[in-house]
Amino acid sequence: MKVVTIKDVAAQAGVSPKTVSRVINGEAHVRPEVREVVERVVAELDYRPNAFARSLSSSRSYLLGLFIDDPVSGYAADVQHGALLRCRERSYHLVIEPVDLNGTHWADQVRSSIAALRLDGAIIAPPICDEAALTDIFFEASLPLVLVAPSVASAATGTVRMDDRGAAREMTDYLIGLGHKHIGFVQGPSTHSASARREEGFREAMAGAGITVDESVVMRGDFSFRSGLELGERILQVDVRPTAIFAANDDMALGVLITAMKLGIFVPEALSICGFDDAASSRAAWPQLTTIRQPKAEMAAAAVDILVNPHFRQDSDNAKSHLTLAHEMIVRGSTGPVAEAGVIGFS
């Protein structure tokens, strides 16, 4: 099969190879109608730019790095998928770099990766995006950087996030609207800024409805299924158990759900359970989990778009470099109206 070249694309599109290069690299100063024609021909011919040749002919490597603490988690899988697909669309390549902040030499390893890979830019996923010692390494290397879901936005980086606090408030308001007043909350780890924002949203909604939070059914987990199991045992065996439990992520919510099944507590008849993230496991459980869909893949794709924008700079405060994407509350079978008084819900 003949390899399609940039000259083939240019000939069929009726433009110069330089114009094709500008379109592929996302550069400005290309008329919209010309860009549309070139993109159509690129798709028709299935043209794949040669990354090595491109890097030789320019100062760019066409490599982006995704730095993440746990590359095998469900969250990481969605982030990687979104970034990989967008890199493919933009004719870039993605390198996944795990970062274990508990390791002894993690900083040296990050510096070595940056030096060896000659990256054009980097994306840092949560929770390590809030580690100043890590982001400082990228600043030292003058490497364009986008943070996904950081605790605060910075003019020195691009940022992509969602409104965790608003989403948690919306979910809590939904539970209150079902008649629940005694609502337990399973916190995420204190080191994860999104965990704090989700708890803030929960408490804001409770206060807004004039409901006092029962601190005996607010317990800290670590975003793991195991911690959901353990805390579910504790919360569901208090003297007056809650009628609903909101966990700060789906893995912990599913742990609570399994514990309720073990204790013979009917869900949602006697206990409503909801989570956060819309992980694949939330749809595999029975009943399926009510949750907040976090646009993880979309946030990663948007981070790629920011980095490949030729006008993006680390010191830019351009609004296009600081994005907040919409969430979605997804109601499934794990939540329902509060049970009538006297219904204990045990089999």
Side-chain angles (χ1 to χ4, degrees), residues 61-336:
S61 66
Y62 299 94
L63 282 177
L64 301 181
L66 173 61
F67 292 78
I68 198 160
D69 69 326
D70 181 8
V72 299
S73 69
Y75 181 96
D78 287 341
V79 169
Q80 291 175 42
H81 189 243
L84 281 167
L85 290 182
R86 187 54 54 87
C87 278
R88 180 179 296 173
E89 292 172 3
R90 305 300 294 265
S91 298
Y92 273 70
H93 292 270
L94 186 72
V95 179
I96 312 298
E97 289 290 312
V99 179
D100 180 7
L101 294 180
N102 295 317
T104 306
H105 304 294
W106 69 264
D108 291 336
Q109 291 168 352
V110 171
R111 288 190 178 94
S112 296
S113 295
I114 292 173
L117 294 169
R118 202 165 66 88
L119 299 171
D120 285 340
I123 301 166
I124 306 182
I128 60 174
C129 59
D130 288 322
E131 179 58 50
L134 175 60
T135 54
D136 284 346
I137 293 173
F138 294 88
F139 297 151
E140 292 166 5
S142 298
L143 190 64
L145 183 63
V146 176
L147 307 180
V148 176
S151 58
V152 294
S154 168
T157 71
T159 57
V160 186
R161 56 185 11 174
M162 62 158 282
D163 184 1
D164 288 273
R165 183 167 63 182
R169 186 169 57 242
E170 181 180 347
M171 179 64 81
T172 307
D173 283 337
Y174 163 71
L175 292 174
I176 293 170
L178 291 174
H180 298 282
K181 296 182 179 179
H182 192 198
I183 303 173
F185 188 78
V186 182
Q187 305 156 312
S190 59
T191 55
H192 203 303
S193 60
S195 170
R197 294 194 294 273
R198 293 169 193 179
E199 183 176 357
E200 289 169 2
F202 162 72
R203 291 184 180 277
E204 285 178 3
M206 295 288 277
I211 302 172
T212 300
V213 174
D214 179 357
E215 300 297 340
S216 71
V217 292
V218 176
M219 300 184 186
R220 185 164 304 283
D222 59 9
F223 277 165
S224 71
F225 175 75
R226 174 193 52 77
S227 68
L229 287 172
E230 294 172 355
L231 296 180
E233 288 269 4
R234 293 169 55 189
I235 293 175
L236 292 175
Q237 297 192 79
V238 296
D239 290 339
V240 181
R241 75 165 188 259
T243 63
I245 297 176
F246 180 11
N249 83 334
D250 286 344
D251 285 347
M252 295 191 299
L254 292 170
V256 175
L257 178 61
I258 295 299
T259 296
M261 292 174 61
K262 185 179 78 170
L263 296 175
I265 302 173
F266 300 147
V267 177
E269 292 83 359
L271 175 69
S272 286
I273 300 172
C274 57
F276 202 111
D277 281 341
D278 193 29
S281 53
S282 70
R283 300 182 291 278
W286 188 260
Q288 292 186 331
L289 194 64
T290 293
T291 187
I292 295 291
R293 181 184 178 273
Q294 183 174 189
K296 302 181 287 293
E298 293 89 339
M299 288 194 292
V304 171
D305 286 337
I306 291 173
L307 285 175
V308 303
N309 181 347
H311 301 293
F312 173 63
R313 297 291 183 271
Q314 282 184 306
D315 58 355
S316 171
D317 60 355
N318 190 324
K320 293 182 179 179
S321 299
H322 302 285
L323 305 176
T324 299
L325 304 189
H327 65 271
E328 179 184 2
M329 187 174 74
I330 300 177
V331 177
R332 299 193 179 107
S334 67
T335 51

